[in-house]
Amino acid sequence: MPNTPAAKKYLRTSTGRRLQNRQQRSTLRGKIKGFRTLLSGGPSREDADKQFGLVVKALDQAAAKNLIHANAAARSKSRLAALKKRAVADQ
């Protein structure tokens, strides 16, 4: 337990930030999962490109806010792009 007033305030702020970060990471994971689900259904190239752009934007924003590491965002984008390429090429 924090003893000083500053430590008590830090506990309050860090708890709020932790909850906000968890919610934002959950939203990001949901967008990625939605894109993967879309690809498994055999989408058109236009639909896949549009959704991919939204997911890439979300990953870049998360990396900019240090929600995830920049290299993790780049790795996810690369893997999703390869997945999209395979899914669209099958049609």
Side-chain angles (χ1 to χ4, degrees):
M1 285 303 300
N3 293 322
T4 64
K8 290 177 183 177
K9 180 179 180 183
Y10 183 76
L11 178 65
R12 289 194 308 270
T13 58
S14 65
T15 301
R17 274 184 277 144
R18 180 178 62 85
L19 293 175
Q20 187 176 13
N21 287 338
R22 284 181 62 180
Q23 206 281 326
Q24 289 175 348
R25 272 195 299 268
S26 175
T27 301
L28 179 64
R29 283 193 299 266
K31 288 180 182 181
I32 293 171
K33 185 175 183 178
F35 180 66
R36 288 179 178 272
T37 304
L38 174 76
L39 291 180
S40 67
S44 66
R45 180 178 294 277
E46 294 80 24
D47 290 341
D49 286 341
K50 182 179 176 185
Q51 189 68 22
F52 181 69
L54 296 175
V55 172
V56 166
K57 181 179 179 181
L59 285 166
D60 287 338
Q61 287 176 338
K65 294 177 186 176
N66 288 324
L67 197 62
I68 59 174
H69 195 276
N71 290 353
R75 185 173 59 246
S76 294
K77 290 189 294 186
S78 175
R79 290 176 179 172
L80 290 173
L83 191 66
K84 179 184 74 133
K85 184 177 179 181
R86 283 194 306 271
V88 173
D90 289 344
Q91 293 180 347

